[in-house]
Amino acid sequence: MGKEIIKIAIPKGYLFEPCVELLGRAGYDVDFLLEDNRKLSIYSGRDLIQYIISRPMDIPVYVEHGACDIGFSGKDALMEKESRVYELLDLKNGRCRIILATLKDGVEKVKEHYRHFGMVKVATSYPNIAKKYFDEKGIQAEIIKLHGSVELAPVLGIADEILDITSTGRTLEENNLVEMEEIAVSTTRMIANITSYRVKYSLINNFINQIKNVIK
Amino acid sequence: MFESKKDSQVIKLPSGMRDILPPETDERNKIKEIIGREFKLWGYGEVNTPIFEYTKNISVGAGKNWKDKLINFFDVDGSPVSLRSDMTIPIARVAGMRIRENQLPARFCYFADSFRQSGVQRGVRRIYNQAGLELIGFKNSMIADIEVLIILINILNELDVRDYKIGLGHVEFIEGLCDWFKFDVKERDYIRKKVILKDFVALERNLEKKDKKKAEVFIQSLQPEVDVSRIADLISGIEDRKIIESFNYIKKVNDILTGLDYRGYLMTDFSIIRDFDYYTGLLFEVYCPYLNDIIGSGGRYDKLIKKFGKDIPATGFALDIDLTHKAIGGLESKENLKILLKLECSGNSMGSIKLIELARKLHRKGVVVELCYEDRPGLEEFAKEKKYSFIVEVKSGFESLKVIDVNKNIKKEEKVSDFIKGISKG
């Protein structure tokens, strides 16, 4: 069977750099991850690691189905996907908050609307989180799924409020939105496939320890 | 009248259900045969139980939210009934209802479909074909658990499942850890939930609030471990009866199996918690590389049969046939000679009847014969796909025939009588 390798899923986008930086500090060879190309699958012969670069929302799915043994995933994606994966470590980077927001002058309007119709309209890229949140509060909500630029929804009048992530609050500000409530705080997590975690335990454990050393 | 034809042609199955066609069924049957042989060698007898029973029986001993995971409907008299969600509960019911003291110990095995509800969107299957056994009524729980584990390992080896691992855990271990932390009922529920999810981030955060050092031990002791002594070192300072006893139990099971040359398949994993809450002692799960699910699992359930009227200890396991099949891929085995038999000029029914007679002669020699009564285009591809080695064309008059070797593309003519004789020689 040759030498065993581990397959690691790395998120594209804003989590990419902090994750690669962390790998670098932990002593892994990351130079070719930083090369400016469009390769989505990169093999490190030195570390025996296959890196898969993918959309953040797909990472829990890849790991759940065993396409990757380990992945770096935002807690927001984990909450949304509810994938059957193991959450091993908090990398403590990529911090953002999952919040409810509405138009600056809209808070009262939303409340009034809810009193009147017993229903709110929410636009989000996280329909599952939204559904759970409103179910728990016993509020009827119509959830509109959008693939990004959710901030537009209240401006365009297709939703009363939005459920989205924010880190600095700038996008909210620029789109004339205010935060109504914080639902959760998300950071990057290291996740593992259920069987890989057992079958490749020593490799994975080794990897966890390397990463742990540079987090603390 | 109002139905558009196009729509009516779209035939669907309820989500999570599927049909299984002959090639796959063949392979599954071979798997079941190998499993069944091992069951039989150890004296296990096959039981069959109804596919649905009263919900109140099926839901006994199952976890709190388990009822939502059953497929439920109503009987004609309005009683709620459910499809069985596993075979352990029906067999426990059988044991409680039907087994007399002097019939113990009972060794039961089964090959059965069970059904579990799942979210429609997730595309998860709702039908589970399992092979399993239950060993009921031995007071010495350890030796019974060992027998069950040995049978499981033998089966996995017979099936040539590669690189699998069996994780051994114990229900009481986590309970003990919770005692050690002096958790109340609510906290225990939370901890159990997080352990099931293996959400070590949330666990660590929660435990560290109470005691940072103890939290480290808690988390470390739940990691999979091939070397049992490392867990022993880790928990050496803890004086909790549940932790000590459950650990010693697993250590002893591990030692005995290692002594019997079953080293290499086992590891301890005290994070194992099953979604059925009838388990009382040893728990185990089988993991396979490249499969994202547990292919088999089992454990001890000493209190379950009591719910059906008799206080009898029991242990057992179930193997998932779909996943086991995936784990081993295809199955090559010695097969009978398989041929496609046809007339050179088909079309008349007298000829076809004579063809059936010839097939019966060949059947007696153990040859698998599929008959082609009608000409069809692409016969060779058809034969290859169904793994027939020869196409045999009988000439009118039934004196001679043409044998076409599908794989080697060789054709030769032969007398019918010589052909039959040739088969008996091999």
Side-chain angles (χ1 to χ4, degrees):
Chain A
M1 204 185 185
K3 272 194 179 166
E4 260 197 312
I5 64 160
I6 35 179
K7 288 189 232 165
I8 302 179
I10 312 268
K12 279 182 191 172
Y14 75 100
L15 292 177
F16 182 78
E17 260 178 51
C19 287
V20 172
E21 185 259 344
L22 194 67
L23 283 167
R25 270 198 290 139
Y28 292 96
D29 182 8
V30 291
D31 289 348
F32 42 85
L33 281 170
L34 295 168
E35 276 169 24
D36 189 21
N37 60 31
R38 284 165 180 259
K39 271 192 195 160
L40 298 177
S41 170
I42 296 162
Y43 178 62
S44 162
R46 196 198 83 177
D47 301 325
L48 298 172
I49 295 175
Q50 178 88 45
Y51 294 101
I52 311 288
I53 298 158
S54 95
R55 291 174 63 127
M57 269 294 175
D58 292 336
I59 286 185
V61 184
Y62 284 175
V63 174
E64 176 176 20
H65 291 275
C68 295
D69 302 308
I70 291 180
F72 294 139
S73 171
K75 180 71 181 171
D76 57 329
L78 292 173
M79 285 169 72
E80 175 61 22
K81 290 285 174 189
E82 292 190 310
S83 302
R84 289 180 56 228
V85 295
Y86 291 165
E87 199 175 318
L88 302 178
L89 208 58
D90 185 350
L91 304 184
K92 296 183 176 139
N93 61 25
R95 196 186 131 90
C96 63
R97 299 180 308 122
I98 303 170
I99 52 121
L100 274 177
T102 189
L103 288 172
K104 253 179 196 148
D105 52 359
V107 181
E108 271 315 306
K109 239 161 75 190
V110 171
K111 282 184 183 162
E112 171 59 32
H113 187 85
Y114 179 65
R115 269 195 295 275
H116 197 99
F117 296 104
M119 181 93 172
V120 288
K121 253 175 146 182
V122 188
T124 183
S125 327
Y126 300 88
N128 196 24
I129 297 178
K131 184 177 182 306
K132 274 207 151 163
Y133 172 80
F134 287 106
D135 279 355
E136 265 167 36
K137 298 235 157 174
I139 295 172
Q140 298 182 70
E142 185 183 335
I143 293 158
I144 299 162
K145 163 135 198 198
L146 294 174
H147 295 262
S149 303
V150 175
E151 299 82 4
L152 274 175
V155 182
L156 298 175
I158 61 168
D160 309 320
E161 42 191 307
I162 63 166
L163 184 152
D164 204 5
I165 52 169
T166 174
S167 51
T168 59
R170 225 182 91 198
T171 321
L172 290 179
E173 181 77 24
E174 282 174 3
N175 286 287
N176 208 24
L177 296 167
V178 284
E179 180 181 330
M180 298 173 77
E181 199 173 334
E182 176 182 299
I183 293 172
V185 175
S186 166
T187 49
T188 317
R189 306 293 160 92
M190 185 167 131
I191 57 173
N193 174 267
I194 295 175
T195 45
S196 299
Y197 180 65
R198 265 66 178 241
V199 180
K200 294 187 180 176
Y201 181 68
S202 55
L203 279 178
I204 290 177
N205 192 33
N206 192 16
F207 185 78
I208 298 174
N209 287 334
Q210 298 279 37
I211 299 284
K212 238 186 200 167
N213 285 338
V214 290
I215 298 176
K216 277 180 181 169
Chain B
M1 191 179 183
F2 298 107
E3 207 176 280
S4 87
K5 183 135 197 202
K6 251 189 183 161
D7 284 345
S8 70
Q9 279 171 343
V10 179
I11 299 166
K12 284 184 186 168
L13 281 176
S15 80
M17 296 289 171
R18 71 181 187 114
D19 304 313
I20 301 169
L21 293 174
E24 190 183 347
T25 306
D26 267 356
E27 296 196 342
R28 288 161 69 104
N29 285 344
K30 278 175 211 154
I31 291 169
K32 289 180 194 171
E33 215 174 275
I34 291 169
I35 297 172
R37 204 184 305 142
E38 187 73 18
F39 284 171
K40 214 169 188 178
L41 286 173
W42 293 83
Y44 286 76
E46 186 173 339
V47 287
N48 286 286
T49 71
I51 212 157
F52 67 87
E53 296 192 36
Y54 291 120
T55 304
K56 68 173 193 294
N57 288 342
I58 289 287
S59 59
V60 153
K64 265 183 217 149
N65 57 354
W66 187 250
K67 284 173 196 166
D68 303 333
K69 294 182 185 166
L70 297 175
I71 297 180
N72 307 306
F73 45 101
F74 294 104
D75 207 349
V76 280
D77 65 354
S79 318
V81 286
S82 303
L83 296 179
R84 64 180 173 223
S85 61
D86 73 347
M87 277 298 282
T88 302
I89 290 168
I91 287 179
R93 177 193 51 74
V94 171
M97 267 171 78
R98 304 272 301 269
I99 298 287
R100 292 186 306 276
E101 193 70 26
N102 61 9
Q103 289 175 309
L104 293 176
R107 285 180 163 88
F108 290 146
C109 66
Y110 58 85
F111 297 88
D113 286 329
S114 295
F115 302 84
R116 293 173 202 171
Q117 198 61 276
S118 81
V120 174
Q121 287 176 336
R122 308 215 73 183
V124 179
R125 65 198 162 121
R126 290 196 285 178
I127 180 164
Y128 294 80
N129 189 250
Q130 293 178 319
L133 59 77
E134 313 292 348
L135 176 47
I136 299 166
F138 269 115
K139 298 223 164 51
N140 184 339
S141 62
M142 187 171 292
I143 204 69
D145 284 339
I146 298 253
E147 173 177 317
V148 162
L149 279 165
I150 287 177
I151 295 171
L152 176 63
I153 296 172
N154 285 352
I155 286 170
L156 293 168
N157 291 347
E158 271 306 304
L159 287 169
D160 208 12
V161 177
R162 299 282 165 84
D163 303 320
Y164 69 88
K165 281 270 185 294
I166 298 176
L168 300 177
H170 198 291
V171 170
E172 294 278 279
F173 192 83
I174 288 173
E175 293 306 313
L177 285 175
C178 287
D179 288 349
W180 185 47
F181 264 82
K182 299 194 174 66
F183 282 140
D184 61 28
V185 181
K186 218 174 144 191
E187 287 168 313
R188 268 166 203 270
D189 263 3
Y190 177 83
I191 296 291
R192 279 176 59 98
K193 222 157 95 191
K194 294 300 170 192
V195 173
I196 288 177
L197 294 171
K198 302 285 181 301
D199 185 347
F200 290 116
V201 175
L203 263 181
E204 199 169 340
R205 236 175 240 169
N206 203 275
L207 295 168
E208 277 182 354
K209 269 188 244 157
K210 294 240 167 188
D211 187 326
K212 211 160 178 183
K213 261 200 171 152
K214 280 164 98 172
E216 174 96 20
V217 175
F218 193 116
I219 303 254
Q220 277 305 316
S221 65
L222 295 186
Q223 305 302 321
E225 186 58 72
V226 178
D227 182 3
V228 188
S229 65
R230 280 176 49 187
I231 306 269
D233 292 344
L234 213 56
I235 59 162
S236 60
I238 308 174
E239 282 171 23
D240 177 89
R241 188 185 52 83
K242 281 183 187 165
I243 294 178
I244 296 168
E245 282 178 6
S246 59
F247 173 75
N248 286 342
Y249 192 91
I250 295 303
K251 185 177 181 306
K252 207 161 171 204
V253 169
N254 190 66
D255 289 348
I256 292 171
L257 287 169
T258 306
L260 290 171
D261 240 5
Y262 287 102
R263 181 200 293 276
Y265 307 113
L266 304 171
M267 58 189 194
T268 61
D269 187 339
F270 287 104
S271 72
I272 297 173
I273 302 181
R274 305 291 308 152
D275 24 354
F276 293 82
D277 68 1
Y278 49 64
Y279 289 107
T280 52
L282 170 78
L283 290 171
F284 52 91
E285 293 179 339
V286 186
Y287 314 101
C288 257
Y290 313 114
L291 284 177
N292 55 343
D293 231 323
I294 291 150
I295 73 166
S297 64
R300 171 155 292 280
Y301 52 98
D302 287 345
K303 300 276 182 280
L304 181 61
I305 303 175
K306 197 176 176 187
K307 297 191 175 175
F308 294 106
K310 290 198 183 78
D311 193 1
I312 312 174
T315 185
F317 71 77
L319 262 181
D320 187 299
I321 297 296
D322 281 282
L323 294 172
T324 306
H325 191 189
K326 275 188 197 155
I328 57 184
L331 260 186
E332 289 294 321
S333 73
K334 263 200 191 159
E335 284 251 349
N336 294 2
L337 179 63
K338 286 173 76 176
I339 64 170
L340 268 181
L341 189 62
K342 68 181 290 274
L343 288 170
E344 192 178 34
C345 316
S346 51
N348 82 63
S349 48
M350 268 317 287
S352 293
I353 289 164
K354 285 184 94 171
L355 208 58
I356 291 177
E357 276 180 64
L358 178 56
R360 286 171 61 200
K361 273 185 202 158
L362 293 166
H363 286 160
R364 272 179 229 128
K365 295 189 176 249
V367 183
V368 175
V369 183
E370 184 173 331
L371 293 164
C372 299
Y373 301 115
E374 288 157 13
D375 284 330
R376 80 189 289 291
L379 192 64
E380 291 201 15
E381 277 76 62
F382 178 74
K384 267 185 200 162
E385 200 183 310
K386 297 189 78 176
K387 296 190 175 130
Y388 287 102
S389 350
F390 300 102
I391 299 173
V392 179
E393 280 183 9
V394 187
K395 307 231 174 234
S396 53
F398 276 77
E399 287 293 325
S400 62
L401 46 72
K402 189 160 87 186
V403 182
I404 303 160
D405 186 322
V406 182
N407 301 314
K408 293 177 195 149
N409 211 5
I410 305 170
K411 295 176 188 176
K412 70 171 185 194
E413 299 219 358
E414 235 180 307
K415 278 192 171 168
V416 171
S417 51
D418 289 345
F419 178 72
I420 298 174
K421 265 185 217 156
I423 285 168
S424 43
K425 278 182 215 146

